[in-house]
Amino acid sequence: MKKLLASTVLAAGLMGFAGAAQAASHSECGRVTVANMNWQSAEVLAQIDKIILAEGYGCEVELVPGDTMPTLTSMTEKKEPDVAPEAWINSMRDVLDKAVEEGKLVYASESLSEGGVEGWWIPKYLADANPDIKSINDALARPDLFPDPEDPAKGVVHNCPAGWNCQITTGNLFTAYGAEDKGFRLLDTGSAAGLDGSIAKAYSREEGWLGYYWAPTSILGKYEMVKLDHGVEHDKEHWEACTAVLDCADPKPNAWAKSEVYTVVTKDFADRAGPAMDYLKARSWENQTVNVLLAWMTDNQATGEEGAEYFIKNNEDIWTEWVSDEVAAKVKKGMM
């Protein structure tokens, strides 16, 4: 009887130890601050991270307001916040690379696997009907496909919204490709809403449309567009000296650089995150996935939190690839 009692006590003790170890493992990432950047794709990604880190890894997650330069500077100098889910790093690449070398920051995943994309686009239905149009020069050879509402004998290129840097670059590229001599006018869309509205209007009528846009965005999730080839590679030196400079006298054809978009974490968090860091290293998605999600959010006037919940519930085939089966089960249970 005494042996049985001793065995029972020992077993209970071992079970208690195992349970404590499991609980410690579950919560080892502890408190984590995640930057909630002030644009739609970054906002929903921060909310997705909050759900998966909290439900799947037992982290105590706090979202804090963020923007690219202030957030990344604070992470480098003050070790806060712990995570920047969608950091567009091109403008700070040298500074960030140095911080990584010094052991202050860590690049986790390339959160947008294709990077941010900018360029001149046409509707897919027009590209399908005109398979010979693959480049900017191809499109500019056909002003009849992109008629100017004020003068149908001419074509139009829709410019970037006023006040945005892409208004300068698009204007310089309009000159560089000789668009005016080829029968085109550069159309000022006035605002982001005006640019979006011009695409929506063209789609509703299945008319030609040519102009600047970028991804990932809700518009490209709702209206399928094809990016035109620039015919040249990105020339960084000319871009900085001319393409991106207002009233450059002699712009040459150029291409936008791929905008590198990474999840950046502090080295302190990377060292203590445990399995949660494996998730942040694996979590990467394609622009079209983001486009479709943003389109749903826009159509439903959904918040980032609502968009994250919708994504988790409707895209298991994507996010379960980022985590183990055990973590996926915990996240699903937590969302019930």
Side-chain angles (χ1 to χ4, degrees):
M1 186 69 180
K2 288 181 179 179
K3 289 183 178 180
L4 178 60
L5 180 59
S7 298
T8 303
V9 171
L10 178 60
L14 290 173
M15 290 176 64
F17 176 78
Q22 184 178 9
S25 174
H26 183 64
S27 61
E28 65 183 328
C29 85
R31 177 178 176 272
V32 52
T33 49
V34 176
N36 190 12
M37 305 292 205
N38 57 1
W39 58 91
Q40 196 179 32
S41 60
E43 179 187 3
V44 71
L45 187 56
Q47 294 285 353
I48 290 170
D49 284 350
K50 181 179 180 181
I51 291 171
I52 293 178
L53 289 172
E55 301 295 345
Y57 297 94
C59 305
E60 180 188 342
V61 185
E62 178 187 358
L63 296 186
V64 297
D67 203 348
T68 303
M69 293 188 70
T71 293
L72 296 174
T73 299
S74 178
M75 290 174 72
T76 302
E77 297 177 355
K78 302 177 182 178
K79 302 180 182 180
E80 283 284 341
D82 297 306
V83 181
E86 188 184 295
W88 293 60
I89 69 171
N90 278 19
S91 61
M92 296 184 67
R93 187 64 195 247
D94 292 342
V95 173
L96 295 176
D97 284 350
K98 183 180 179 183
V100 170
E101 290 174 8
E102 293 174 348
K104 296 178 180 179
L105 299 178
V106 173
Y107 293 129
S109 65
E110 195 166 7
S111 46
L112 292 176
S113 60
E114 301 155 286
V117 178
E118 296 177 89
W120 288 15
W121 308 69
I122 62 175
K124 187 176 184 301
Y125 56 77
L126 191 140
D128 290 343
N130 298 272
D132 55 320
I133 298 181
K134 299 184 183 300
S135 69
I136 289 176
N137 280 324
D138 293 338
L140 293 178
R142 295 293 307 275
D144 57 299
L145 294 177
F146 312 98
D148 184 341
E150 296 182 6
D151 182 0
K154 290 188 175 184
V156 292
V157 174
H158 294 79
N159 202 351
C160 191
W164 293 16
N165 184 259
C166 48
Q167 184 186 42
I168 297 172
T169 53
T170 300
N172 281 332
L173 291 176
F174 183 87
T175 300
Y177 284 95
E180 185 173 1
D181 291 339
K182 295 174 182 177
F184 280 80
R185 175 173 71 95
L186 187 60
L187 179 64
D188 181 7
T189 54
S191 65
L195 181 61
D196 292 355
S198 70
I199 294 175
K201 181 179 178 181
Y203 246 83
S204 69
R205 301 178 178 182
E206 288 203 5
E207 294 176 342
W209 189 95
L210 170 64
Y212 170 89
Y213 217 79
W214 73 100
T217 51
S218 61
I219 282 291
L220 296 192
K222 189 170 185 178
Y223 304 109
E224 196 168 1
M225 305 286 283
V226 174
K227 189 170 86 71
L228 298 173
D229 188 272
H230 287 74
V232 295
E233 297 296 323
H234 175 68
D235 182 337
K236 185 174 185 292
E237 184 177 346
H238 184 71
W239 188 276
E240 293 175 352
C242 181
T243 310
V245 177
L246 183 64
D247 297 327
C248 176
D250 186 26
K252 295 177 174 55
N254 209 339
W256 271 273
K258 169 189 172 182
S259 295
E260 295 187 288
V261 186
Y262 278 82
T263 295
V264 180
V265 304
T266 62
K267 184 64 163 57
D268 281 4
F269 178 72
D271 288 343
R272 65 179 167 80
M277 190 62 189
D278 294 335
Y279 158 68
L280 292 173
K281 288 180 178 178
R283 195 261 293 110
S284 180
W285 53 1
E286 296 180 351
N287 284 343
Q288 186 57 18
T289 299
V290 185
N291 289 341
V292 171
L293 176 58
L294 300 186
W296 178 87
M297 290 173 62
T298 299
D299 288 346
N300 291 276
Q301 299 183 324
T303 63
E305 183 177 4
E306 291 166 338
E309 291 175 356
Y310 176 85
F311 176 79
I312 294 290
K313 291 177 180 176
N314 292 278
N315 295 272
E316 286 187 11
D317 59 318
I318 297 175
W319 68 263
T320 54
E321 294 293 317
W322 304 335
V323 299
S324 67
D325 292 343
E326 180 186 2
V327 169
K330 290 176 182 177
V331 174
K332 292 175 190 178
K333 184 178 180 181
M335 295 295 292
M336 291 176 62

